[in-house]
C-alpha cells in the first residue's frame, strides 16, 4: 500500500461516460444495501475505491457530474458492523489431551481435587467435539431473543438475525426455564459444504478452505439472506444463564435439552470408568469419516453438576472437562526456505517456507520451526523433504525430515550473524542473545533481539498486540493497517494511535485519500479509536505487552490494583517484587517482569504519553460481594471435606485471596488438624482463626 492518492483518469469521454454510468449504478446499489439494510456486500475499502474512481472520472470530464451524480449524495455510516453482546456467563474454552494415557490422568486429577477415594464412582460423559464455531442462544419465555458468537469469551457479536435463518436452531423451546441460554456449535455438514463451494466456484467467487471457515463466514454475514442461503446446523452441548435449575447432571441436562427441542449430538454417552471413556473415544474416531460433519476429538465432562461446580475453572478452561483430540493430519512436502520472524518480545522464530501442500483439506505453506535447538534436533536444511503436521488452528509443524531425499550440497542453517560472527537481529541488527537463567544456569531455547523499541519488528508487533482483540480491540486497526501506519511514520508508539485523527492530513494527504481507505473507512477508524479512550485496567495492562502478562495475569493484577496508578507506584517501590508476588497467582518471575517493565527508562515516556490520551477504568467486578471477597485467607493443617486445592480455588471464586504465609495482612486462618507454627503465628498476630466446619459455613458450602 502507498499513501499516494490514485492518479487522475485518462479515458476518452465515451469510455468515461460508460464507466461512470456503470459505477454510479453500482454505488447506488451498495448505498442501498449499506444504509437501508445494514448489509453491505463489499468491504469499506472496495466501496471507497469505487467512489474515488467515480469522482476521478468526473474530475477528468466535468460534464459527467450532473445533478443526479452519486458524488452529490452522502449517507450516514454506522461505525460498527455487529453490535457487541456481553456474556453474563463467560464462554470459555477447553483444555486438551492427546494420548490415551491422559484419560486416566484426567480422571485422577479430578479425583484428587475432589478428594474422591478409589471406591467412589466418577461418571463422565463423552461426546464428539464438533469443529464449528460456538454460539450462545438466549431464550426468554421459550422464545429465541438473541444469538451471540463467542468472541473473546466475555464479549461476542450479536448474530440474532442470522441465527433465525438456521433451520436446526429452534426459535421456540418447550418447557425450558424462563431465562435460558443454550450453548453449542454452529457447523456446516460435508454435503452442504461441497455444494456451497461448487456454487461459489460457478459464480466466480472464492471458495472456503474447510467447513468450519464456511460456517464462521456464513454466520458472520451482515446480510441475513446470505446466511439463510448457507445451510448451517447446530448441536447444543452446554448452557449459560438460566432462571431455574433443569438438571442435576450433564446427561440429565442433555435429556432436558432434547425435551426442550434442542438438537443434541446422538453420540453422547455416559461412562463410568476411564476404560469406557476410551472405548467411546475410539468408537467415535472409527466413525469420523462417515459422520458427515467435521469433528476434531471427543469432549469428556464430569457428569454430576454439583461436582462440576466444585471443580470450577482454572484460567479459561473448566477443571471438570477436557477435549481429547484426534491425532493431527500429516503430509509430505519440500522446505523451500527458512525465514526468521522477530516477535513482540524480540524472540527470533524460524519459519519454514514450504512448497504448498494440502493437509487435512487446508493448503499449508508455512510451518513453525520453534527455535535453533529444534532445527538442530530435526537436522532440517533448505531443500529437504519434510513431513508436516497440522492440528486444528495451530500453526503447522515439521515433524521429521526424510534424510534419504536430501539434495546434495544442502547446508546446515545458521541464524543471521554480522561480519564478526556475532548473532544479530535480522531486522535491526542489534545483538541477538540466548539469555542464561540466573538461578539454573540453563540457556534459554529462544534467541532474542536486544533492540527493544529500537527494533522496528518489536515495535510493530507490540503495536499489533496493543490494538488486538483482547487488548484495546480497535476495529479497523488490524495488523496490515498498523504496518502501514508504522512504515509511513504515523504511528511509532501506542499514544500515536490516539493522535492520528488530530494529525490527519498534516504534511500529507488525508487518510480518506489514501489507497485502501476513503471517507467511510477513515471515519470509522477514527470513531473506533475514540471509542477506546476509556479502557478497563485489565485490558490496558495486557495491551502493554509486558512479558509474562497474559490475560489471566493482567486480570489478577487489575483485580488487586483497581487503580493503574497504584500498580505503577507499587512496581517502583523498593519491595516491589515482594509485594507483587504476594498477589494470588503472581509468581516471582512475573513480578520481576512487571518491575523491570516499569523500571525500564525507555518505557517511561511512551507510557506517560499513552496515559495522557486514555483513561484507565477499574476492571468490572465478577464477584457478587460475598463477605469473604477481598479477604486474605491462609489454609493450614489438613482439611477433611475438600482438598487444599479445592479450598483455595473456592476461596478465590468468592473473591478472596489465598496466601501461603501469615502476616499482619492476613484476615482469616482456616486451621485443620496438624496445623503447627502457622497457627501459633496467627494467634500471636491476633488473626481470626476458624476450623473447617466454620469455613464451609462461611463459604456457603455446608
Ligand atoms: S463444552 C466450558 N462440548 O470446543 C466448556 N465444547 O475447545 C464449554 N466444542 O469453545 C465447551 N464441541 O466451541 C464443548 N461437545 C462439545 C464441543 C465443544 C465443540 C468447542 C467449543 C469450545 C471449544 C473448546
Amino acid at each position: 500500500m502507498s499513501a499516494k492518492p490514485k492518479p487522475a483518469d485518462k479515458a476518452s469521454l465515451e469510455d468515461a461516460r460508460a464507466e461512470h454510468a456503470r459505477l454510479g449504478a453500482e454505488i447506488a446499489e451498495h448505498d442501498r444495501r449499506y444504509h437501508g439494510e445494514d448489509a453491505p456486500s463489499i468491504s469499506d475499502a472496495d466501496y471507497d475505491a469505487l467512489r474515488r474512481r467515480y469522482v476521478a472520472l468526473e474530475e477528468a470530464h466535468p460534464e459527467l457530474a450532473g445533478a443526479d451524480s452519486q458524488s452529490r449524495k452522502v449517507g450516514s455510516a454506522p461505525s460498527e458492523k455487529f453490535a457487541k453482546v456481553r456474556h453474563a456467563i463467560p464462554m470459555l474454552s477447553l483444555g486438551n489431551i492427546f494420548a490415551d494415557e491422559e484419560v486416566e490422568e484426567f480422571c485422577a486429577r479430578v479425583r484428587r481435587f475432589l478428594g474422591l477415594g478409589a471406591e467412589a464412582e466418577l461418571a463422565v460423559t463423552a461426546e464428539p467435539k464438533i469443529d464449528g464455531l460456538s454460539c450462545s442462544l438466549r431464550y426468554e419465555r421459550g422464545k429465541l431473543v438473541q444469538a451471540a458468537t463467542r468472541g473473546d469469551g466475555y464479549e461476542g457479536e450479536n448474530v440474532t438475525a442470522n441465527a433465525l435463518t438456521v433451520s436446526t436452531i429452534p426459535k421456540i423451546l418447550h418447557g425450558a426455564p424462563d431465562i435460558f441460554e443454550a450453548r453449542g456449535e454452529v457447523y456446516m455438514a460435508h454435503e452442504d459444504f461441497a455444494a456451497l463451494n461448487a456454487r461459489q466456484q460457478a459464480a466466480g467467487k472464492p471458495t472456503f478452505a474447510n467447513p468450519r471457515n464456511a460456517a464462521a463466514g456464513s454466520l458472520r454475514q451482515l446480510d441475513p439472506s446470505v446466511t439463510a442461503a448457507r445451510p448451517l446446523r447446530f448441536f447444543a452441548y452446554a448452557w449459560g444463564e438460566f432462571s431455574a435449575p433443569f438438571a442435576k447432571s450433564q446427561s440429565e441436562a442433555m435429556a432436558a435439552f432434547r425435551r426442550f427441542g434442542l438438537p443434541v449430538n446422538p453420540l453422547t454417552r455416559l461412562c463410568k470408568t476411564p476404560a469406557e471413556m476410551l472405548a467411546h473415544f475410539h468408537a467415535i474416531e472409527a466413525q469420523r469419516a462417515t459422520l458427515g460433519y467435521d469433528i476434531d476429538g471427543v469432549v469428556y465432562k464430569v457428569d454430576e453438576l454439583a461436582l462440576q461446580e466444585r471443580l470450577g475453572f482454572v484460567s479459561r478452561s473448566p477443571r471438570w472437562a477436557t477435549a481429547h483430540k484426534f491425532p493431527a493430519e500429516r503430509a509430505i512436502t519440500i522446505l523451500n526456505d527458512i525465514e526468521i520472524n522477530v516477535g513482540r518480545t524480540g524472540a527470533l522464530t524460524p519459519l519454514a517456507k514450504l512448497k504448498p501442500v494440502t493437509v487435512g483439506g487446508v493448503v499449508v505453506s508455512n510451518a513453525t520451526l520453534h527455535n535453533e535447538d529444534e532445527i538442530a534436533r530435526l537436522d532440517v536444511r533448505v531443500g529437504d523433504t519434510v513431513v508436516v503436521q497440522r492440528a486444528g488452528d495451530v500453526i503447522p509443524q515439521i515433524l521429521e525430515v526424510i534424510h534419504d531425499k536430501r539434495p546434495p550440497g544442502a547446508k546446515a542453517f545458521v541464524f543471521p550473524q554480522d561480519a564478526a560472527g556475532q548473532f544479530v537481529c535480522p531486522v535491526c541488527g542489534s545483538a541477538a542473545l540466548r539469555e542464561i537463567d540466573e538461578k539454573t544456569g540453563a540457556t534459554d531455547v529462544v534467541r532474542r533481539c536486544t533492540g527493544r523499541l529500537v527494533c522496528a519488528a518489536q515495535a510493530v508487533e507490540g503495536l499489533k498486540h496493543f490494538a488486538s482483540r483482547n487488548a484495546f480491540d480497535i476495529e479497523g486497526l488490524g495488523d496490515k493497517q498498523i504496518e502501514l501506519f508504522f512504515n509511513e511514520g504515523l504511528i511509532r508508539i501506542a499514544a500515536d494511535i490516539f493522535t492520528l485523527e488530530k494529525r490527519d492530513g498534516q504534511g500529507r494527504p488525508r487518510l480518506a485519500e489514501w489507497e485502501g481507505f476513503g471517507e467511510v473507512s477513515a471515519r470509522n477508524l477514527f470513531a473506533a479509536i475514540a471509542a477506546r479512550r476509556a479502557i478497563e485496567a485489565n485490558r490496558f495492562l495486557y495491551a502493554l505487552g509486558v512479558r509474562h502478562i497474559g490475560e489471566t495475569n493482567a486480570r489478577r493484577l487489575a483485580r488487586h490494583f483497581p487503580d493503574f496508578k497504584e500498580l505503577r507506584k507499587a512496581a517502583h517501590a523498593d519491595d516491589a517484587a515482594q509485594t507483587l508476588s504476594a498477589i494470588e497467582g503472581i509468581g516471582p518471575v512475573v513480578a520481576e517482569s512487571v518491575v523491570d517493565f516499569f523500571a525500564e527508562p525507555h518505557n517511561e515516556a511512551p507510557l506517560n504519553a499513552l496515559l495522557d490520551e486514555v483513561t484507565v477504568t477499574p476492571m468490572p467486578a465478577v464477584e457478587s460481594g460475598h463477605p469473604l471477597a477481598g479477604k486474605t485467607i491462609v489454609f493450614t493443617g489438613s482439611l477433611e471435606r475438600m482438598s487444599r486445592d479445592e479450598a483455595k480455588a473456592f476461596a478465590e471464586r468468592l473473591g478472596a485471596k489465598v496466601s501461603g504465609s501469615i502476616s499482619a495482612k492476613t484476615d482469616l486462618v482456616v486451621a485443620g488438624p496438624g496445623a503447627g507454627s502457622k497457627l501459633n503465628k496467627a494467634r500471636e498476630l491476633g488473626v481470626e482463626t476458624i476450623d473447617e466446619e466454620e469455613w464451609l459455613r462461611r463459604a456457603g458450602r455446608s
Side-chain angles (χ1 to χ4, degrees):
M1 281 198 213
S2 89
K4 292 197 194 77
K6 272 189 159 180
D9 185 64
K10 299 273 188 293
S12 71
L13 176 59
E14 200 183 333
D15 287 352
R17 194 185 297 282
E19 189 181 354
H20 182 265
R22 184 172 56 75
L23 290 179
E26 241 181 273
I27 290 169
E29 171 63 10
H30 289 307
D31 281 348
R32 189 187 62 72
R33 297 174 74 94
Y34 191 106
H35 300 299
E37 297 176 9
D38 195 17
S41 55
I42 61 169
S43 70
D44 290 351
D46 289 346
Y47 173 83
D48 285 327
L50 281 182
R51 274 200 95 96
R52 259 198 319 276
R53 175 75 180 166
Y54 186 80
V55 171
L57 290 168
E58 291 184 350
E59 278 167 4
H61 303 282
E63 54 270 62
L64 297 178
D68 59 358
S69 164
Q70 293 299 330
S71 63
R72 294 173 189 255
K73 298 177 190 155
V74 279
S76 64
S79 73
E80 302 233 63
K81 296 189 168 158
F82 289 101
K84 297 270 156 90
V85 173
R86 187 128 202 127
H87 300 300
I89 296 178
M91 291 180 78
L92 300 169
S93 56
L94 290 170
N96 290 325
I97 60 174
F98 293 92
D100 284 4
E101 303 80 71
E102 289 177 273
V103 173
E104 188 122 19
E105 285 164 24
F106 167 73
C107 294
R109 243 188 342 265
V110 166
R111 283 177 176 279
R112 212 177 311 123
F113 187 92
L114 295 171
L116 285 186
E119 68 301 336
E121 188 176 88
L122 179 68
V124 175
T125 60
E127 70 199 63
K129 182 170 188 303
I130 317 296
D131 200 4
L133 73 153
S134 50
C135 189
S136 187
L137 307 173
R138 188 179 175 89
Y139 292 87
E140 287 178 6
R141 282 191 233 102
K143 205 171 147 234
L144 178 63
V145 294
Q146 186 177 68
T149 62
R150 175 171 181 265
D152 64 2
Y154 299 94
E155 205 177 63
E157 286 173 331
N158 187 332
V159 290
T160 313
N162 295 347
L164 287 168
T165 72
V166 177
S167 63
T168 53
I169 291 182
K171 314 301 169 297
I172 302 284
L173 293 186
H174 302 283
D178 273 358
I179 292 177
F180 176 68
E181 285 177 8
R183 291 179 173 175
E185 209 81 355
V186 169
Y187 67 98
M188 194 177 280
H190 289 156
E191 51 174 325
D192 296 331
F193 170 70
L196 170 63
N197 263 357
R199 284 203 305 276
Q200 292 282 111
Q201 202 152 24
K205 292 187 186 154
T207 52
F208 293 98
N210 53 49
R212 183 167 45 83
N213 287 359
S218 304
L219 188 68
R220 299 184 66 261
Q221 274 292 329
L222 287 167
D223 182 351
S225 70
V226 175
T227 311
R230 307 249 180 104
L232 295 172
R233 305 183 194 211
F234 180 75
F235 278 127
Y237 51 66
W239 56 94
E241 202 180 343
F242 55 90
S243 55
F246 53 91
K248 285 204 162 66
S249 65
Q250 183 73 29
S251 44
E252 277 181 21
M254 292 306 103
F257 274 29
R258 282 204 187 87
R259 286 198 308 277
F260 298 162
L262 286 160
V264 171
N265 193 286
L267 293 172
T268 308
R269 293 277 179 285
L270 186 60
C271 306
K272 298 279 164 61
T273 62
E276 282 181 38
M277 291 159 69
L278 255 184
H280 194 51
F281 172 83
H282 289 298
I284 291 176
E285 190 180 28
Q287 297 175 60
R288 188 179 181 186
T290 54
L291 285 178
Y293 50 87
D294 276 354
I295 62 172
D296 56 347
V298 169
V299 181
Y300 304 125
K301 298 171 183 170
V302 169
D303 191 43
E304 211 182 301
L305 300 190
L307 296 183
Q308 288 190 3
E309 177 72 25
R310 282 176 60 191
L311 285 155
F313 294 81
V314 64
S315 191
R316 307 184 113 222
S317 332
R319 273 196 201 83
W320 47 264
T322 196
H324 188 171
K325 302 291 271 294
F326 294 136
E329 304 188 64
R330 295 173 186 181
I332 291 175
T333 187
I334 309 280
L335 175 67
N336 282 335
D337 199 4
I338 297 179
E339 266 181 24
I340 302 289
N341 263 338
V342 183
R344 179 167 61 81
T345 61
L348 267 49
T349 309
L351 185 72
K353 307 300 285 184
L354 304 168
K355 178 165 177 243
V357 62
T358 306
V359 191
V362 172
V363 179
V364 167
S365 49
N366 294 319
T368 177
L369 281 164
H370 301 290
N371 54 52
E372 278 165 88
D373 292 358
E374 174 77 354
I375 293 181
R377 186 186 69 78
L378 289 166
D379 179 23
V380 62
R381 302 182 181 188
V382 171
D384 272 343
T385 298
V386 295
V387 179
V388 284
Q389 164 172 301
R390 186 185 72 89
D393 267 348
V394 299
I395 174 157
Q397 283 183 303
I398 292 190
L399 224 51
E400 60 176 320
V401 172
I402 302 176
H403 288 288
D404 298 351
K405 297 207 170 161
R406 172 164 292 168
K411 289 199 196 66
F413 179 78
V414 271
F415 267 49
Q417 293 175 340
D418 63 12
Q422 139 114 259
F423 286 106
V424 289
C425 169
V427 174
C428 70
S430 302
L433 308 177
R434 289 177 68 166
E435 289 166 17
I436 297 179
D437 188 309
E438 283 168 25
K439 285 200 195 100
T440 62
T443 308
D444 194 347
V445 290
V446 178
R447 187 172 289 288
R448 270 176 222 281
C449 162
T450 53
R452 301 224 187 182
L453 285 180
V454 174
C455 178
Q458 288 189 56
V460 170
E461 294 307 314
L463 289 165
K464 288 180 188 170
H465 171 78
F466 183 88
S468 66
R469 191 163 79 174
N470 296 342
F472 267 68
D473 190 19
I474 301 176
E475 191 149 303
L477 194 60
D479 292 359
K480 258 185 12 208
Q481 290 80 7
I482 299 257
E483 271 168 26
L484 173 68
F485 291 137
F486 188 87
N487 293 336
E488 291 291 334
L490 265 179
I491 296 182
R492 290 283 167 169
I493 56 172
D496 296 339
I497 294 172
F498 297 93
T499 59
L500 202 59
E501 186 169 11
K502 206 164 61 191
R503 292 179 289 127
D504 190 31
Q506 290 177 7
R508 65 177 88 219
R510 288 168 55 238
L511 184 57
E513 287 152 33
W514 291 25
E515 195 174 323
F517 286 87
E519 295 296 343
V520 177
S521 8
R523 189 160 6 109
N524 284 351
L525 176 61
F526 293 143
I529 292 171
R532 295 296 186 210
R533 278 189 184 271
I535 182 97
E536 294 158 5
N538 53 314
R539 279 181 177 263
F540 181 79
L541 258 168
Y542 173 71
L544 293 180
V546 182
R547 246 176 106 187
H548 304 301
I549 303 296
E551 284 176 84
T552 303
N553 282 337
R555 286 175 167 274
R556 287 176 177 145
L557 290 170
R559 192 168 301 137
H560 194 87
F561 293 104
D563 183 352
F564 176 74
K565 286 197 213 82
E566 292 298 320
L567 168 64
R568 198 177 184 186
K569 205 159 87 193
H572 279 299
D574 285 344
D575 57 350
Q578 228 178 334
T579 313
L580 295 176
S581 46
I583 299 173
E584 177 53 35
I586 302 289
V589 174
V590 177
E592 201 60 54
S593 168
V594 173
V595 173
D596 286 351
F597 177 86
F598 287 104
E600 170 64 53
H602 286 316
N603 291 336
E604 190 80 11
L607 182 58
N608 287 336
L610 178 60
L611 288 168
D612 283 343
E613 299 296 334
V614 304
T615 311
V616 186
T617 61
M619 182 174 85
V622 264
E623 284 314 326
S624 50
H626 191 276
L628 292 174
K631 300 272 191 259
T632 301
I633 305 181
V634 173
F635 291 95
T636 178
S638 57
L639 301 178
E640 278 153 14
R641 299 255 315 266
M642 54 171 80
S643 70
R644 186 75 76 84
D645 277 346
E646 183 179 1
K648 186 168 165 228
F650 198 76
E652 282 173 9
R653 224 185 306 164
L654 301 173
K657 287 169 234 158
V658 178
S659 170
S661 59
I662 294 176
S663 73
K665 288 192 186 144
T666 310
D667 295 299
L668 189 64
V669 172
V670 181
S677 61
K678 284 191 189 167
L679 190 52
N680 293 336
K681 183 155 183 204
R683 292 202 176 118
E684 266 167 42
L685 290 169
V687 177
E688 185 184 7
T689 305
I690 58 174
D691 65 7
E692 186 177 5
E693 282 311 307
E694 176 62 11
W695 149 249
L696 291 170
R697 199 189 61 72
R698 291 197 194 179
R701 275 286 300 279
S702 59

